[in-house]
Every structure is written in structure tokens, then in C-alpha cells.
Amino acid sequence: MTAGGMETRSFAPFYPHPLLRDRHVMTIAGAKLPRPMKLFVEVGEDLWLDVDEETRIRCEVHWQPRYDAPVMLLVHGLSGSSMSPYMIGTAQKAFEAGWSVVRLNMRNCGGTELATPTLYSAHLTEDLRTLIDWVLRTRAASPICIAGFSLGGSILLHTVAEYGQQPPPQLRAVATCSTPLNLVASTAELHTGVMNRFYMKLFLDGFVRSMRNKAQEYPELYPYDASRGYRDFYTFDSQWTAPAFGFKDAHEYYEKASACRVLPDVAVPGLLIHAEDDPFVPYNEKSMEAIKNSPRMRLLMTKYGGHNGFFAATAAETEYWQDLDRWWAENRIVEYFTGIIAEES
């Protein structure tokens, strides 16, 4: 593979499973279909890291025997965790391709509500930055790549953008899947239509469970009724997320925490995977303009795929790559990162 090959070569096209062509069916399948990887999950190691004096985060790690093996960090989406199916699926494929893999639980996720008095947001960088710094210290000889799914992609882009034009030399590339670049547009879309309101209710149910857990440990910050009465994202974010991060209301939070504002500042190569039929993450003019102004970013847009779905009719195969299963986007992330590292050798 020639230098720059991963930036220009074609990936295998996505052909959706014939029973999952509908965007909502594909989205639900991506979230609910299990990955047969129980043994892989069970042999992982728990890693706890201190972000600051008040907050600890939990990660799940699979180390390769080789100390200098490349390391892939994975960041889940809204109300997800290290156990989200797409996290496990990507981790297992990466591990089989020779990567050490770390699945991050953002604060308050994966059962860590009692390990922090704070909340998380679409632009919270401290948790991922803490993990990156730890890997840089403990695996100094290893190249690092990071993938973020849905809102986790926004967190990833904000974190890497903070490095400006001098990211750590070990950080080679990033990738996102179904990531909202414009929170204003994505939130507005979630408030329309029966199915999108169904998705929003699922997210809100996750918020409610998390707030109930936090109320037990931090009653002075989160009264018991903090988990009640939220009709939509605007209501919850206006009461909790926006003020927690210094915004006057939800709209200001969505506007200023949108990843399209920082995408041009990401100074490492990146792959943005997205489906045109994503039911609640539109890539509108503002998102496309941000991508256009980001010369290191490559958009891989498919007609079908839903939100974090991308379950294919068959496992893809090209002269460069053989997919391990039919989860197309997960395979593309591993292929992209593996190709980036291969170009350096």
C-alpha cells in the first residue's frame, strides 16, 4: 500500500440485509442484535482511572501479548456503555486484527454514576483525555487510533481538536460512526415523528435511571424528583446539562457544543461513516461545510445504514480486506485503522 493509500482507496460498498432496508428497522437491529462474543467480554480487564479528585472512570481492556501492539480506544454513544453491542463488536474485530483495545465508559455510564458528582455532555473532553494520557504513559511505543459512535464521536472530535496542530505523535487517526456534527439539527429531528420520539423516550429512560442512581449518592445535588417530568431533550438539557456546563439553556448548549465547530481543528486523519437514511442525525449544509473545511477528514456516506446499524447482506471482501462478519461499519473502522498503521511499516 502506498503512502496516503487509506485516504484515497475505495472501501467495499454497503449492501444492507434485505430485511433491514428500512432505516428504523436497521437502527433497532444495530442496537438490539447481540454479538456472540461472551467469552471475549469475560476475559477483559477492568481499568479505573482518576480524572480528578471527584471523578473516576471505568474502562475495559484487552491487551495483546506484544507490548508495542497498536491500541484502539472506543467511545460509546448517548446512554451507551462499554457493553453496547457496537462497542463489543468493534473491539473483538480489532483484537483479532492484532490491536489492544480499550472500551471507555464515559462518566455516569456503565454503572459509574456513583463515581462522580458531575454529568457528561457532547463536548466533555476530560474523560477521554485522561484515558489518552494514560495510554501515552503506559504504552509509549504503541500507535493509537480512536473511534467514537454517535455522540461518542462528538466527544472524540472535541477531545482531539483540543490538541490543535500538535496532537501526540502516537495518535495516528480517528473515526466516527453516525455522529451528530450539528446538535441543533439532530435534536430538532428527534422531536419530530412517532419513531424519533420513540428513540428519544428510550434515551430519556436512560437519563432517568442514571439520575435516580445519582440521587442516592448525591441527594444535595440531585433530589429524587430530578428523574421526573422530562418530556423531551430540551426539558432535560435546559434543567441539567446546559447549566452544568455553563450554558444559559439547551439551545445554546446544542449550538456551542456541536462538533462541526471544531472539526476543522482535528489535525489527524479521520474517517466519518454516515448513512443518508439516518433517522435522527441529518448531515445538513452546516455539517457538510465543516467536513469540506476539514482536509484531513474523509466522509464515507452510504444510502442505507440507519443510525449505528449497517448490517450487511453478506460479509464484504476486497483485495485488501475480508470482513469477519456482516457489521459493515465496524469492519470499516478496523480496516481503516489497520491500513493507516500498515502504511507506516
Side-chain angles (χ1 to χ4, degrees):
M1 204 178 301
T2 59
M6 289 306 299
E7 305 304 315
T8 58
R9 89 173 197 212
S10 297
F11 292 101
F14 174 63
Y15 299 108
H17 189 285
L19 299 180
L20 304 178
R21 289 171 68 91
D22 179 83
R23 60 181 182 166
H24 297 299
V25 176
M26 180 67 81
T27 297
I28 294 170
K32 298 300 182 182
L33 286 181
R35 313 298 197 266
M37 300 168 186
K38 181 179 179 182
L39 180 61
F40 173 77
V41 172
E42 289 177 346
V43 299
E45 302 175 17
D46 264 9
L47 168 68
W48 285 88
L49 297 174
D50 292 327
V51 178
D52 52 42
E53 293 182 355
E54 296 183 314
T55 298
R56 302 184 75 207
I57 53 174
R58 184 174 68 86
C59 308
E60 296 187 56
V61 186
H62 291 264
W63 293 122
Q64 292 286 348
R66 206 177 92 228
Y67 181 77
D68 60 348
V71 180
M72 189 181 302
L73 312 182
L74 302 178
V75 189
H76 61 79
L78 186 67
S79 290
S81 74
S82 61
M83 292 300 293
S84 294
Y86 53 83
M87 294 280 281
I88 297 172
T90 307
Q92 188 266 348
K93 283 184 273 290
F95 189 79
E96 291 199 19
W99 293 77
S100 293
V101 187
V102 185
R103 289 175 284 140
L104 169 67
N105 287 286
M106 294 295 297
R107 65 183 68 187
N108 297 303
C109 299
T112 65
E113 293 93 346
L114 307 188
T116 178
T118 61
L119 305 176
Y120 74 98
S121 71
H123 71 319
L124 179 72
T125 62
E126 288 88 342
D127 293 3
L128 179 55
R129 185 68 175 259
T130 296
L131 175 57
I132 295 171
D133 290 345
W134 183 84
V135 175
L136 291 174
R137 292 193 307 270
T138 60
R139 292 293 189 275
S142 297
I144 301 169
C145 292
I146 314 173
F149 297 85
S150 193
L151 197 74
S154 174
I155 291 167
L156 161 59
L157 295 173
H158 278 280
T159 304
V160 177
E162 283 187 344
Y163 292 113
Q165 296 303 304
Q166 295 183 319
Q170 294 99 312
L171 180 57
R172 302 297 206 268
V174 299
T176 67
C177 181
S178 301
T179 288
L181 298 180
N182 184 345
L183 293 176
V184 175
S186 296
T187 307
E189 197 72 21
L190 271 166
H191 286 74
T192 63
V194 174
M195 282 302 299
N196 281 356
R197 287 187 172 274
F198 167 74
Y199 299 136
M200 183 165 56
K201 183 179 185 305
L202 292 179
F203 287 129
L204 287 172
D205 288 346
F207 296 169
V208 166
R209 289 191 295 271
S210 179
M211 296 299 277
R212 284 176 179 167
N213 289 336
K214 295 194 77 63
Q216 296 177 17
E217 183 72 11
Y218 307 104
E220 72 284 4
L221 298 176
Y222 306 98
Y224 182 74
D225 60 2
S227 64
R228 298 178 181 175
Y230 302 110
R231 303 182 305 276
D232 50 35
F233 280 171
Y234 290 128
T235 308
F236 182 88
D237 287 330
S238 287
Q239 180 164 345
W240 293 107
T241 312
F245 292 94
F247 301 111
K248 65 180 180 181
D249 56 25
H251 183 79
E252 184 181 45
Y253 162 54
Y254 301 146
E255 177 66 34
K256 294 186 176 180
S258 289
C260 59
R261 296 169 61 94
V262 302
L263 187 64
D265 297 327
V266 177
V268 299
L271 182 69
L272 311 176
I273 300 174
H274 197 70
E276 291 180 8
D277 71 347
D278 190 307
F280 51 85
V281 179
Y283 271 23
N284 59 7
E285 182 178 350
K286 195 168 185 178
S287 299
M288 297 304 290
E289 184 67 19
I291 295 171
K292 179 181 177 181
N293 293 329
S294 306
R296 306 304 301 273
M297 296 294 110
R298 176 179 177 181
L299 176 62
L300 186 56
M301 182 82 85
T302 63
K303 183 177 181 180
Y304 302 102
H307 184 81
N308 268 350
F310 299 99
F311 188 72
T314 60
E317 181 178 2
T318 68
E319 62 178 302
Y320 300 105
W321 192 263
Q322 170 65 61
D323 284 1
L324 293 181
D325 56 23
R326 291 190 280 181
W327 294 102
W328 181 86
E330 297 169 13
N331 280 281
R332 297 291 72 73
I333 289 171
V334 178
E335 177 188 7
Y336 176 67
F337 287 160
T338 301
I340 290 284
I341 300 304
E343 289 178 356
E344 300 175 354
S345 59

